[in-house]
Amino acid sequence: MKRLGGMIASRLRGSRAGASTVVVLTVVLALLAGFYRGVPIADVELHDGGVWVTNKQLRLVGHLNYPSKALDGGLAVAAEAFDVHQSGNKVAVLDLT
């Protein structure tokens, strides 16, 4: 009986030590995560120097890359009256008729 009691006490001490280790590691990791500021990044909005141009007579819309002085995109518009609107990277051709 004494031997059984010693085994139980030894297992309880081992499980308490393991549980204490897990709790201490969890608290240390939580503190480290809370104080870590992260990796600094640059939040830069680049302007490519381009401008959207229209030709109302030919019903064309194009993107003029001004620094290279070249049209790098465009489309033909079916509408007789239209306009171009841009917000960030989103461009919309509006039919005004």
Side-chain angles (χ1 to χ4, degrees), residues 60-82:
L60 297 174
V61 176
H63 183 262
L64 174 65
N65 187 333
Y66 188 76
S68 66
K69 296 188 177 24
L71 285 173
D72 59 6
L75 61 107
V77 180
E80 289 184 26
F82 62 92

Side-chain angles (χ1 to χ4, degrees), residues 14-80:
S15 65
R16 284 183 187 157
S20 297
T21 303
V22 169
V23 169
V24 168
L25 286 176
T26 303
V27 169
V28 167
L29 286 175
L31 286 172
L32 288 174
F35 288 118
Y36 183 64
R37 292 179 177 247
V39 178
I41 60 168
D43 187 17
V44 180
E45 286 188 35
L46 299 176
H47 187 315
D48 66 356
V51 62
W52 286 91
V53 294
T54 61
N55 184 323
K56 303 255 183 193
Q57 292 172 342
L58 296 177
R59 297 182 189 167
L60 297 174
V61 176
H63 183 262
L64 174 65
N65 187 333
Y66 188 76
S68 66
K69 296 188 177 24
L71 285 173
D72 59 6
L75 61 107
V77 180
E80 289 184 26

